[in-house]
């Protein structure tokens, strides 16, 4: 009887154990399967999330790049290109245009003309001295013209204008040439006449060691001349020798005591027997030696 009870109890325990194992297996399988399904379901979410996030992040990179590029381009164009063009073009145009060059050239021409004009007007008083040495190259040399004084009509009516030095106490440089005394002041030559210093033409052949500042270099056919206040010089043997005004020589101004004369209806400018004609030399007013009066 006791053995039967023991056997039945053992069967019940075994049955309960089997039932419990079956329940455990079913729950574990379901849980594992559900977990795996959940895992598989979650993986797409993760992938989709990653992809969307990644895509969104790349989108942001694109936006960042586009923003950066656009901002950089905008900044460069706004801060670099436009101001640089505005400053460079405007500044260069304002400083290097033809207007400024023309203004500079006109200022130079006006300064030269203003220097030459007072020199011509004030040579009689010797109050103005030239300080700029200029160079003139004669390209076209005219034919020499020689006229008799009787055929010349003087505008003033007189055959010769007489100019006296207005300051008898001037610091003259007295020289003796061919037994004649000359008094030199500011490149002009004078002789004592009727209790006055009368201006005369510089004697040809006389020489000086130096020339005053403001003389003009004149090149004619390979010959080099120097001009100052109506007198022409030639360099020879370390001295400046007075020479006859060469045909074709061009000067920017005449001494104050020149004369306007008419020959065959044509106007000339005469200075101590030398005929000048008014011309334009590179846009400037000038006077060219064209002949002589006997």
């Amino acid at each position: 009887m006791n053995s039967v009870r023991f056997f039945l109890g053992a069967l019940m325990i075994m049955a309960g154990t089997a039932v419990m194992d079956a329940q455990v297996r079913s729950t574990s399988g379901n849980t594992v399967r559900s977990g795996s399904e959940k895992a598989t379901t979650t993986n797409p979410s993760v992938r989709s999330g990653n992809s969307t996030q990644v895509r969104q992040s790349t989108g942001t990179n694109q936006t960042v790049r586009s923003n950066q590029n656009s901002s950089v381009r905008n900044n460069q164009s706004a801060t670099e290109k436009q101001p640089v063009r505005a400053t460079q073009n405007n500044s260069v145009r304002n400083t290097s245009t033809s207007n400024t060059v023309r203004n500079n050239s006109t200022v130079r021409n006006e300064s030269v003309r203003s220097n030459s004009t007072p020199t011509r007007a004030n040579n009689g008083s010797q109050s103005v001295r030239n300080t700029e040495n200029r160079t003139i190259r004669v390209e076209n040399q005219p034919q020499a013209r020689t006229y008799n004084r009787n055929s010349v009509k003087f505008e003033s009516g007189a055959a010769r204008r007489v100019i006296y030095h207005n300051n008898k106490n001037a610091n003259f440089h007295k020289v003796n040439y061919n037994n004649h005394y000359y008094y030199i002041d500011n490149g002009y030559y004078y002789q004592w006449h009727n209790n006055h210093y009368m201006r005369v033409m510089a004697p040809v052949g006389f020489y000086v060691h130096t020339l005053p500042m403001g003389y003009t270099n004149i090149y004619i056919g390979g010959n080099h001349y120097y001009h100052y206040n109506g007198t022409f010089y030639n360099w020879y043997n370390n001295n400046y020798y007075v020479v006859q005004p060469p045909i074709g020589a061009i000067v920017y101004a005449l001494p104050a005591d020149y004369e306007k004369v008419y020959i065959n209806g044509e106007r000339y400018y005469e200075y101590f027997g030398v005929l000048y004609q008014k011309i334009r030399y590179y846009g400037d007013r000038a006077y060219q030696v064209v002949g002589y009066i006997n």
Side-chain angles (χ1 to χ4, degrees), residues 82-92:
Q82 293 177 356
V84 169
R85 288 180 182 174
T87 55
Q88 288 182 352
N89 293 331
N90 292 331
S91 62
V92 171

Side-chain angles (χ1 to χ4, degrees), residues 249-289:
I250 298 174
V251 298
Y252 285 106
L254 295 176
D257 51 339
Y258 69 86
E259 283 280 354
K260 292 181 181 180
V261 299
Y262 294 87
I263 303 175
N264 298 327
E266 190 172 1
R267 185 169 66 179
Y268 297 89
Y269 300 85
E270 185 262 347
Y271 181 72
F272 285 113
V274 181
L275 292 176
Y276 294 82
Q277 197 168 32
K278 185 187 294 185
I279 63 170
R280 303 295 296 184
Y281 182 75
Y282 289 99
D284 291 333
R285 182 182 62 186
Y287 302 89
Q288 187 173 32
V289 177

